[in-house]
Amino acid sequence: MASLMMLPSGCCNAALSRVYLSAAAFRPAPSALGFGSQIATSAVHLSRRGAPPPPRVMEVETSLAPPDTVLSTGFDFKGYMLEKAAAINCALDAAAPLAHPERIHEAMRYSLLAGGKRVRPVLCLAACEVVGGGSAWAMPAAVSVEMIHTMSLIHDDLPCMDDDDLRRGRPSCHRAFDEATAVLAGDALLALAFGHLANPASYPADGSVPPDRIVRAVGELSRCVGAEGLVAGQVADLEATGVGTPVTLDHLEFIHLHKTAALLEASVVLGAILGGASDDQIDKLRKYAKSIGLLFQVVDDILDVTKSSEELGKTAGKDLASDKTTYPKLLGLEKSKEFADRLLKDSREQLAGFDPIKTAPLLQLANYIAYRDK
């Protein structure tokens, strides 16, 4: 039950020289004189180079968990997701403006602003709020983790990696542009993510986020996405693909705790750090994040064998075709579903000591990850 959420036309008015993704079909935004011609110009550039124009809407997944798992607090999960996604989309647009050289910035924005569920940045904001911080404190981190997530998707789709031509229902970045541009677009997003996170100007001017928290957040993100985290998982995944010998459950868990869960862990932990969490709170939220990170992958594996490409917005059955070891392949479909249920329960237990009102977004996000359909 995905909703198509239009970006507000007045979003990010401080940077009118940028291309802005409006729901209007290349019409000038009411508050931005001359904006429409800039959008049209960018669309022409992309069209001439064989790449589709920028998306007119941002897709935000707002599916709720089945009725028996919905919280009894009256928490409006759909409204929360729409509100946070609108703020995140606007912040992403502002953080990655169109600039010279245009081609690389177009490629960056093509993938970064292509919609998606925005689970990682919303988790970042929700984790900040659960420890008493304001969402504005964690927005730079939310933007950064989404940039790195986009980088990982761009690189993962390359022919030398998972070789996929479809992402979020559109041609992958290397198909819309070319392989070299896609590699560089991913590199540029990675660099921009750290620059944005470390820049004091990214945070509220009132000094509500002390410099030591920012430094700690940078170190945490570096660990989670480098050779100890996301990269380690990707390497282990490549080494285990097509080898013809069974991958053990422990090895499969190592792959996904690093390749998938590490960035979800970073999202939650960065939000907690910037929100001023205690070490004990960070430890509990880290365990919560690892549980939902592994849960995300188990569900992904299940969907890969139970849904079509049209339903998923990416190529279905790709893991089976490339002889990858997945949870359904190793455990069977029913045991994989049981494992997913256990991970969901574990994630809920880690939130037991927090304010039950403030934990509602994190609990519902765990439910969403468990019960999503794409």
Side-chain angles (χ1 to χ4, degrees), residues 99-320:
H100 179 76
E102 285 189 6
R103 183 167 178 78
I104 189 63
H105 289 90
E106 287 167 351
M108 291 163 66
R109 289 172 60 83
Y110 173 85
S111 295
L112 184 64
L113 303 177
K117 295 175 282 291
R118 305 299 191 218
V119 169
R120 290 157 191 81
V122 174
L123 278 168
C124 186
L125 301 183
C128 185
E129 292 168 351
V130 83
V131 298
S135 60
W137 301 4
M139 186 59 80
V143 166
S144 296
V145 296
E146 188 64 14
M147 287 179 176
I148 290 176
H149 175 53
T150 301
M151 173 277 295
S152 72
L153 299 180
I154 293 173
H155 285 178
D156 201 45
D157 289 336
L158 290 168
C160 64
M161 302 284 272
D162 275 3
D163 192 13
D164 209 324
D165 293 338
L166 191 65
R167 176 63 64 180
R168 290 172 172 168
R170 305 194 305 164
S172 300
C173 189
H174 70 277
R175 282 299 186 185
F177 293 85
D178 54 70
E179 288 184 37
T181 301
V183 170
L184 293 171
D187 293 345
L189 284 169
L190 178 62
L192 182 58
F194 279 98
H196 189 73
L197 180 64
N199 188 354
S202 300
Y203 299 86
D206 61 5
S208 50
V209 183
D212 62 311
R213 293 185 195 171
I214 299 174
V215 172
R216 185 177 180 182
V218 170
E220 179 70 27
L221 184 59
S222 174
R223 185 190 65 79
C224 285
V225 304
E228 296 179 54
L230 188 154
V231 172
Q234 182 67 67
V235 170
D237 190 25
L238 289 171
E239 290 178 344
T241 299
V243 295
T245 56
V247 173
T248 66
L249 187 59
D250 285 344
H251 188 66
L252 186 62
E253 185 170 302
F254 174 89
I255 291 172
H256 295 311
L257 278 175
H258 291 76
K259 181 180 177 181
T260 303
L263 192 52
L264 283 160
E265 178 186 343
S267 303
V268 172
V269 173
L270 262 63
I273 289 171
L274 295 170
S278 66
D279 288 343
D280 181 60
Q281 288 176 320
I282 290 173
D283 183 59
K284 289 179 179 178
L285 289 170
R286 189 186 297 278
K287 290 176 181 176
Y288 158 85
K290 286 183 176 180
S291 291
I292 64 168
L294 198 52
L295 173 63
F296 195 100
Q297 186 60 52
V298 175
V299 173
D300 224 38
D301 286 355
I302 292 171
L303 292 175
D304 188 65
V305 297
T306 60
K307 298 289 184 179
S308 67
S309 298
E310 291 73 20
E311 290 172 311
L312 295 177
K314 60 181 180 180
T315 307
K318 196 79 168 51
D319 293 339
L320 184 63

